[in-house]
Amino acid sequence: MRLLAIRSKYALVGEELELVEEVELVWEGGRLVDWYPTTKKVSDLLVMPALVNAHTHLADCYFPDAWLRESLSEIVDPSKGLKRKALEEADIKEAIKMGMEALRSTGSFAAADFREGGAKGLKEALEAREEGYLPFGRVEKEEDLEEVLRLAHGLGLPEPDFPTPDLARRAAEAFKAAGKPVGLHLAEVRKEPVQKALDLGADFVVHGCFLEYEDLEELKRNGVALVVCPRSNRWFGLKPKVKEAIEVGVKLLLGSDNCTFNKPDLWRDLEASAFELRSEGAFDDEAARELLKAVTTNAEKPLGLPWKTALVEGSRWPALLMDSKLLALDRSKNKYATIVKRGGPEALVGVVGKAKLNRPWSSAGWR
Ligand SMILES: [Zn+2]
């Protein structure tokens, strides 16, 4: 079996992204088999898990920067918004390819994509055959349920009662019974009861701009994760609850959301989160570490990922090779904060996944 060893100045290892220095990491046949301290010469690298984008609408890559002045509800209303018509005319396969390409070029190797259009919408997206594309489908009509269940990675409801309370409940039950994850938009533009998500057995809720502390506590108690989309929320004048989520300790994930308004680059959402925290006096190195977990190891369970996303023994998940010199890590007094604030595609010099080095955009076969 082919071996690959990288001696790196820094690495973020394990579920908690412990920062270790001067390490040698060994992959065998694309699987991380070991890592240990080394006294040999190391490269100016930071090795860290590839990112997971926990909420996207990638089909919207087909109409970038449309509707600059329209309101959120005018655009995304699931039954009569402007987006619905635009999607009907879009080449979905092409859009998903564009979206995944943009993701990979910035170091994200999976996207939990809320796919519109029921079974038909899923089929169009799956034609793109993109590695790491995880469609969360929705059931738009009764006769679609079985097909959506078969095709989708998970259920992704645009509203808790979509399209009707009864069908939402039955779809959620079917997905849970099949061992597939359930997620939903909740409390983005107005208050909505957390109980709705709990009743559906949700694994995660998206946005939560109108959730109070006690709601976040309730999510945490029930093991439900919160996916926050900082740039998307601010674009529409909403406040992302990054500080509150970290304070309460609810499992936090980050997503770039709608591709029309934001390029799917999680580094920008990391920095946007840092700005949110700083503006409320809550940004420090530990908070930065929580943000990095939100785009890597936190995603595994709520999104039902079939991979171990931490750098741990046995993991096949791609590892990013970042230029530690460009990040100025040596001189940094707060290294997690530096990774959050200075990380970006320009520092990404390679990806290791299935023992392939420096081929960042060919991820085929790392499953
Ligand atoms: Zn969404």
Side-chain angles (χ1 to χ4, degrees), residues 55-57 114 138 185 188 206-207 229 257-258:
H55 190 65
T56 60
H57 296 266
F114 269 33
R138 57 183 66 165
H185 292 148
E188 181 182 11
V206 184
H207 295 305
C229 307
D257 201 15
N258 192 311

Side-chain angles (χ1 to χ4, degrees), residues 11 19 50 109 149-150 190 247 292 352-353:
L19 180 67
F109 279 73
L149 176 63
R150 186 175 69 80
R190 60 179 172 276
E247 260 175 34
L292 288 168
V352 182

